[in-house]
Amino acid sequence: MAKRGKWKSSLGFVLAAAGSAVGLGNIWRFPYVTGKNGGAVFLFVYILAVIFLGLVVMYAELSLGRATQKNPVGAFEKIKPGSLWKGVGFLGVFTGVGILSYYSVIAGWTLYYFYISSLGKFTGNITRTQVDKIFASFVSNPLLTIVMLFLFILLTSFVVSRGISSGIEKWTGVLMPLLFLILLVLSIYSLTLPGASRGLSFYLRPDFSKLNLRMILSAVGQAFFSLSLGMGAMITYGSYLSRDENLFASGLEVVGFDTLVAFLAGIIIFPTVFTYGLSPQAGVPLVFKTLPFTFSRLPLGRLFGPLFFFLLAIAALTSTISLVEVATSYLVDEKKMARPLAAYMVGGVAFLIGIPSALSTSSRFFSNFAFGKSFLDIMDYLWANISLPLGALLLSIFVAYVWGARNAAMEIRPDKARKFPGEDLWVIDIKFFVPIVLGIILISALLGFS
Ligand code: TRP
């Protein structure tokens, strides 16, 4: 049997895992839900959710992967052979392909926007109507959106086909530092805008009277999605780690980096939004409609426009890589399939399932598919709002009660003879707090509440 892949360095692993976590969820979705939920209060709740739920489940996934050295299906099977638990692994494999199928549609948009902003489409005194038109004519073009989807998945499968250290690690090792640099430049630039102080006060001065349950649920959901938890992506990435890796430190670094990137995305968006009198609640249009307009008005917009969309495309790519890798690792480990074949097959399936999502903005049939929602929105609801919390809930029950929280904790300890900082709290958290909160999230999603 071919030798299983491994990360070459500790930093390489952290960058790859952070690459999975940092994605459209951080740069596009986070500022938009923060804007919709009142700004700073949401940020506050989000950070609590990251620490007390996200980080806790991150350790659960990484430790299960590293301990078993297996893909999600194999990992459950190894700890509890012959049981139904491997079904949670299968759920993860399917969820990965499901998310990949529509996530890559939006990722394809970023690729197209990078292309047209490089051509200088958003310069001079272009009007908002013109910007809106560019968006509308792009998303209503079925062929173009499908081609972009295809290109994005192809690129992803290509990277994954090259393997762990010479594919994923090599690419994310270059892309992530670049992304961070672009993000820093744009943040600093944004802070010099005239509306910066109004933007920052919206973003950083919490008004606790706006706190409500729906906001808390959406902050928790955002935290799990952003950290790539609930479908075994981190089990898979953890499984390519060697025994001497310090899981405690790596987990903290990945979570810290992801949160920092989301935070910086807010620092870029809100001052810009307030400077140009736009609405912080614009959602999809925030990135694809209002920002190009904004860039066209900035002195260095000709440079920052393409830079921003390049950044988004990179962030999306390092995330789709992890979505393809979960199913690929299953096919390679369990079905002994050659890695390139597996990677292109997974991509091919996601592409086919993704076509109706790509058509959700152009075809009347798919744009109002069911319940007044588009096909893409329904996919997002099913996979991100229902399947991910379900996967995370079952995973935490498995780690806490079937494998045993203390066994997992041993795996996280840098020094086996001593508890890791906060270990007792982690054990209580994964046994009680995490399952209860995820149960509530899942029920409210099933009732159509969130
Ligand atoms: N975390 C990524 C983002 O924020 C998306 C993503 C990649 C993901 N892999 C995942 C989400 C696995 C959930 C599970 O955009």
Side-chain angles (χ1 to χ4, degrees):
M1 195 183 88
K3 237 179 120 253
R4 214 168 173 272
K6 258 202 178 339
W7 305 111
K8 273 219 182 75
S9 73
S10 169
L11 181 67
F13 159 71
V14 170
L15 289 177
S20 165
V22 171
L24 297 172
N26 302 59
I27 300 173
W28 163 67
R29 194 169 187 276
F30 174 78
Y32 142 64
V33 285
T34 304
K36 219 171 77 171
N37 284 292
V41 221
F42 183 86
L43 177 65
F44 180 80
V45 179
Y46 177 77
I47 289 175
L48 290 182
V50 164
I51 298 171
F52 291 105
L53 297 161
L55 181 62
V56 173
V57 175
M58 177 66 75
Y59 281 139
E61 283 207 21
L62 289 178
S63 61
L64 182 59
R66 210 265 300 266
T68 58
Q69 304 276 305
K70 294 267 187 205
N71 66 90
V73 176
F76 284 96
E77 181 64 14
K78 187 159 180 182
I79 303 262
K80 198 74 188 162
S83 71
L84 282 177
W85 281 105
K86 63 171 171 300
V88 184
F90 278 114
L91 178 70
V93 170
F94 289 120
T95 305
V97 178
I99 296 180
L100 178 69
S101 75
Y102 69 85
Y103 191 92
S104 304
V105 171
I106 313 275
W109 294 5
T110 68
L111 210 55
Y112 181 76
Y113 263 65
F114 167 59
Y115 171 67
I116 58 171
S117 58
S118 307
L119 292 181
K121 276 240 181 188
F122 303 124
T123 45
N125 41 16
I126 189 167
T127 64
R128 285 195 69 165
T129 342
Q130 283 170 306
V131 173
D132 289 358
K133 263 206 193 120
I134 291 175
F135 181 78
S137 75
F138 166 59
V139 297
S140 62
N141 183 332
L143 188 64
L144 202 50
T145 46
I146 291 176
V147 168
M148 285 299 155
L149 167 70
F150 181 79
L151 287 178
F152 207 90
I153 293 190
L154 188 66
L155 188 59
T156 307
S157 289
F158 169 74
V159 175
V160 173
S161 77
R162 308 302 299 254
I164 303 307
S165 57
S166 46
I168 302 178
E169 185 170 1
K170 203 171 107 191
W171 279 66
T172 50
V174 176
L175 294 178
M176 291 308 288
L178 184 63
L179 177 141
F180 195 65
L181 194 73
I182 300 175
L183 211 56
L184 274 185
V185 171
L186 284 172
S187 308
I188 292 168
Y189 188 71
S190 183
L191 289 175
T192 65
L193 293 173
S197 64
R198 266 177 305 139
L200 290 183
S201 108
F202 174 79
Y203 187 39
L204 301 175
R205 266 214 210 122
D207 170 2
F208 287 102
S209 66
K210 288 189 190 149
L211 202 66
N212 63 57
L213 183 64
R214 196 178 279 256
M215 161 195 297
I216 295 173
L217 295 180
S218 98
V220 175
Q222 173 65 24
F224 276 88
F225 186 83
S226 185
L227 293 169
S228 298
L229 297 172
M231 51 145 283
M234 293 300 166
I235 298 178
T236 309
Y237 275 22
S239 76
Y240 301 121
L241 278 174
S242 64
R243 302 270 169 219
D244 45 17
E245 176 75 23
N246 182 342
L247 270 196
F248 177 75
S250 324
L252 265 183
E253 284 160 22
V254 173
V255 171
F257 192 78
D258 183 71
T259 309
L260 180 63
V261 169
F263 178 75
L264 288 179
I267 294 282
I268 294 173
I269 304 280
F270 293 115
T272 317
V273 161
F274 280 83
T275 300
Y276 293 92
L278 309 168
S279 162
Q281 318 197 355
V284 178
L286 190 64
V287 167
F288 296 102
K289 283 188 187 171
T290 48
L291 280 183
F293 165 77
T294 308
F295 287 128
S296 75
R297 296 299 186 272
L298 298 179
L300 289 175
R302 180 75 178 81
L303 176 67
F304 286 115
L307 212 54
F308 182 82
F309 288 108
F310 185 59
L311 165 105
L312 235 111
I314 290 177
L317 179 64
T318 55
S319 295
T320 53
I321 287 172
S322 73
L323 291 164
V324 169
E325 177 58 28
V326 173
T328 301
S329 73
Y330 164 73
L331 294 171
V332 171
D333 283 358
E334 310 291 323
K335 300 289 165 202
K336 312 289 174 239
M337 202 180 269
R339 171 168 279 274
L341 176 65
Y344 286 109
M345 225 177 77
V346 171
V349 170
F351 170 66
L352 292 177
I353 306 174
I355 290 176
S357 290
L359 294 176
S360 284
T361 45
S362 54
S363 119
R364 207 174 280 164
F365 181 67
F366 290 116
S367 68
N368 191 354
F369 189 67
F371 314 111
K373 285 181 170 208
S374 73
F375 190 87
L376 193 151
D377 287 338
I378 289 178
M379 290 295 270
D380 184 44
Y381 199 83
L382 284 180
W383 298 113
N385 291 19
I386 294 179
S387 185
L388 284 185
L390 177 64
L393 173 66
L394 293 172
L395 168 103
S396 52
I397 292 173
F398 182 83
V399 168
Y401 299 102
V402 180
W403 185 23
R406 284 294 167 189
N407 290 328
M410 281 302 277
E411 193 69 38
I412 303 166
R413 288 182 190 180
D415 169 0
K416 302 294 169 223
R418 270 190 306 146
K419 288 182 179 173
F420 67 84
E423 182 174 315
D424 292 332
L425 183 64
W426 181 83
V427 169
I428 295 172
D429 204 330
I430 194 79
K431 278 181 141 172
F432 305 107
F433 189 58
V434 169
I436 290 171
V437 175
L438 285 172
I440 296 173
I441 297 269
L442 187 62
I443 290 169
S444 55
L446 286 170
L447 296 176
F449 184 67
S450 53

